[in-house]
C-alpha cells in the first residue's frame, strides 16, 4: 500500500491517503509538543517506537475483542489504518492521580483511584481540550448517546486490558487518553497508544517512562521510550 | 423559633442553631462577593430580597413535588430550614449560554442550549469549584450513585419548573446553581434560590437582572434586584 497525498498533519503524526478510500496511512514523526504546543522538541526515534508499541497494543486489544482502526504495520514509521470520521470527544482513564487532575481536584500525585476515573474532553487545541460531560456532548451534538455509551464501555474495557498488559511487563499504567472514530457504521478505537498519550511508571522504581520526561525536562527521554519499547515489544529495536 | 449560637458564616448567609436540633435558621446578609471572593461589596437590601424570593420559589417548588429544606420565613432576613448534611456537589443547569461555559467551550453568550445542560461542580473555594463528573463523585466518595441520580433528576425538574415560573413573570431563566443536602435519609434541595445564584434576563429588553450586574459593575444593581423581587413576589417590598 503506497502513500498518496497528505490529508492532515498533526503534532506527532501525518495522515496520507492510499489507493483505497477506506484506508489511510499514519506516519509517526519524532516531533514532540507539550502544554498545547508551547513546548516543542524532538524525541529521537519516538516515531519508530510509538509505531511499534501502538501496533503491539492494537493487536493485543483486537485479540481481546476491542475494535480498532489498526490494519497492519507497513514500515518503521508507517501504519495502515481504517479511515475514521474522528469523534471530537477524547476519553481519559486514570488509575493513579497524576497530571491535570491533581491540581484540578487537589489530589496528591500517586494516589490510587478506585474505581478508575473516566473523563471526557472536547478535542480542541484552541480551547485547550476542556473537560466536558454527557450533557454537553448531547447539547452540542458531538456524539450520539449510543456512541457515548460505546466510548464509556470501551474506555473501561481498554483500561482493564492495558493495566494487565503493562503489569506483566513491570509497568504501572497511570492514565491514558483514547480517541475514537466512525467507520462504516462502527465506532473504532483510533489514533495511537504509546508513551506519548499514556503515563507509564516503572513498577519497581516509580520512575516515569512517558512524555512527562519531555514535558518536565526530566532527562533520559529517549532512553525511557526505548525501555518501554523493549518491555512491550521484546529486546532490541 | 429563636436564634441560638452561630454554626457557620458563609459569603452571603449565616447559619444559626435553634432549640430544635433538626432545624437551623438561615440569615441573609447584604454582602456580595464575586470571582471566588476577589471582588467584595454590598448590595443594599439584597438579604431581604433574596430571603423573600427564595421563600416564594421554595414554596412553589414544594407545591410541585420538589423536596426542599424550607420550613418557613421567620423575618425579613431569616428563614427556618431543615438542617442539612450538605452534599459537596453543586448542580448547574443552563438554558442559555452565559458565564463560564462561553469561554470554556467557545460558545457565544445568548445561545439557546437545547436540551439544557446539567453540570456538576465540586464545592471548594480553594479549588475554585472545579467541574466534575459522575466518575469523580464515585471515586472520591462525594455522593452515592443513588444521590447522583436524585441530583440529576431533581436538577432537571427544578429547571423545568423554574423556567415556567420566571417566564410567566417576563424573565428568561438563563442558568442557575443548586445545592442539596441529606436530612433524615432524604435528599433535599438546600441553600437559596435568588438573583445571587441564578442568571435572569429581562425577556423584553435582554437586560441582566442578577449578580452579573455586581460582578461586571453594570450599575443599577439594587434596582434590578428590586425588580426581580417585584416580579416574583408582587409589587412593593
Amino acid at each position: 500500500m503506497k502513500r498518496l497525498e497528505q490529508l492532515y498533519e498533526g503534532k506527532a503524526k501525518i495522515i496520507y491517503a492510499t489507493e483505497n478510500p477506506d484506508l489511510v496511512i499514519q506516519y509517526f514523526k519524532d516531533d514532540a509538543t507539550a502544554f498545547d504546543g508551547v513546548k516543542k522538541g524532538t524525541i529521537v526515534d519516538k516515531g519508530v517506537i510509538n509505531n511499534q508499541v501502538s501496533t503491539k497494543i492494537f493487536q493485543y486489544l483486537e485479540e481481546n475483542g476491542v475494535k480498532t482502526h489498526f490494519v497492519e504495520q507497513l514500515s518503521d514509521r508507517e501504519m495502515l489504518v481504517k479511515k475514521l470520521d474522528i469523534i471530537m470527544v477524547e476519553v481519559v482513564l486514570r488509575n493513579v492521580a497524576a497530571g491535570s487532575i491533581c491540581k484540578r481536584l487537589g489530589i496528591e500525585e500517586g494516589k490510587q483511584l478506585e474505581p478508575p476515573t473516566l473523563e471526557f474532553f472536547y478535542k480542541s487545541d484552541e480551547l485547550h481540550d476542556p473537560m466536558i460531560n454527557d450533557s454537553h456532548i448531547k447539547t452540542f451534538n458531538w456524539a450520539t448517546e449510543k456512541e457515548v455509551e460505546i466510548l464509556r464501555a470501551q474506555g473501561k474495557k481498554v483500561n482493564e486490558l492495558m493495566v494487565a498488559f503493562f503489569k506483566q511487563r513491570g509497568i504501572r499504567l497511570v492514565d491514558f487518553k483514547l480517541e475514537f472514530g466512525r467507520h462504516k457504521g462502527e465506532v473504532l478505537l483510533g489514533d495511537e497508544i504509546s508513551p506519548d498519550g499514556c503515563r507509564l511508571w516503572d513498577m519497581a522504581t516509580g520512575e516515569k517512562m512517558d512524555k512527562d520526561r519531555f514535558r518536565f525536562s526530566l532527562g533520559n527521554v529517549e532512553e525511557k521510550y526505548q525501555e518501554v519499547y523493549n518491555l512491550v515489544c521484546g529486546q532490541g529495536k
Side-chain angles (χ1 to χ4, degrees), chain A:
Chain A
M1 192 69 69
K2 266 193 335 200
R3 266 154 51 178
L4 299 182
E5 79 275 16
Q6 180 177 316
L7 298 176
Y8 170 80
E9 176 158 11
K11 284 174 279 189
K13 292 188 293 296
I14 306 174
I15 305 295
Y16 294 97
T18 68
E19 293 130 30
N20 184 333
D22 292 331
L23 301 178
V24 294
I25 290 169
Q26 288 203 125
Y27 177 90
F28 288 76
K29 301 190 288 184
D30 286 350
D31 298 352
T33 62
F35 310 115
D36 290 311
V38 168
K39 180 166 182 167
K40 287 181 189 171
T42 298
I43 302 175
V44 177
D45 277 349
K46 173 172 84 76
V48 178
I49 287 173
N50 286 358
N51 190 21
Q52 333 288 311
V53 169
S54 291
T55 292
K56 182 81 180 181
I57 296 179
F58 279 136
Q59 286 171 335
Y60 164 74
L61 294 175
E62 285 278 357
E63 282 160 19
N64 287 279
V66 178
K67 290 176 179 168
T68 80
H69 70 158
F70 179 79
V71 178
E72 61 171 327
Q73 192 189 321
L74 295 176
S75 73
D76 258 17
R77 292 181 181 271
E78 291 173 315
M79 181 189 283
L80 185 67
V81 296
K82 292 174 183 165
K83 189 173 183 179
L84 297 182
D85 164 27
I86 289 289
I87 294 173
M88 297 306 278
V89 177
E90 297 184 346
V91 184
V92 171
L93 275 290
R94 301 179 191 271
N95 299 296
V96 181
S100 66
I101 199 174
C102 293
K103 199 174 164 192
R104 181 162 25 101
L105 302 185
I107 314 291
E108 203 182 341
E109 185 179 86
K111 185 184 161 70
Q112 188 75 28
L113 303 176
E114 189 46 53
T117 62
L118 184 150
E119 297 159 341
F120 293 138
F121 292 86
Y122 179 51
K123 196 172 155 59
S124 162
D125 285 343
E126 199 184 316
L127 298 169
H128 311 293
D129 297 337
M131 198 173 87
I132 54 173
N133 66 25
D134 292 50
S135 121
H136 301 123
I137 296 171
K138 185 168 182 174
T139 300
F140 301 115
N141 239 322
W142 290 325
T144 67
E145 275 179 77
K146 181 90 188 292
E147 286 169 345
V148 171
E149 257 177 60
I150 296 173
L151 263 47
R152 186 171 272 121
Q154 291 296 289
K156 288 181 186 177
K157 181 171 181 174
V158 168
N159 186 41
E160 281 170 27
L161 289 166
M162 280 177 46
V163 164
F165 178 91
F166 281 109
K167 193 177 173 184
Q168 282 180 345
R169 288 157 175 85
I171 298 174
R172 189 174 183 199
L173 177 62
V174 170
D175 59 35
F176 59 94
K177 181 201 75 170
L178 298 177
E179 294 189 22
F180 293 84
R182 306 169 185 102
H183 179 85
K184 297 188 171 182
E186 281 194 314
V187 173
L188 305 180
L189 178 59
D191 198 36
E192 64 178 283
I193 297 185
S194 72
D196 268 21
C198 303
R199 280 197 176 84
L200 305 169
W201 293 356
D202 187 313
M203 273 190 163
T205 65
E207 269 193 304
K208 297 183 200 300
M209 311 174 76
D210 54 63
K211 207 168 84 175
D212 272 351
R213 298 204 76 83
F214 167 78
R215 270 190 203 99
F216 303 112
S217 305
L218 302 178
N220 296 324
V221 185
E222 278 84 358
E223 288 76 357
K224 289 296 169 184
Y225 269 69
Q226 181 68 45
E227 216 177 305
V228 170
Y229 168 80
N230 291 343
L231 290 166
V232 167
C233 304
Q235 299 306 305
K237 194 169 63 195

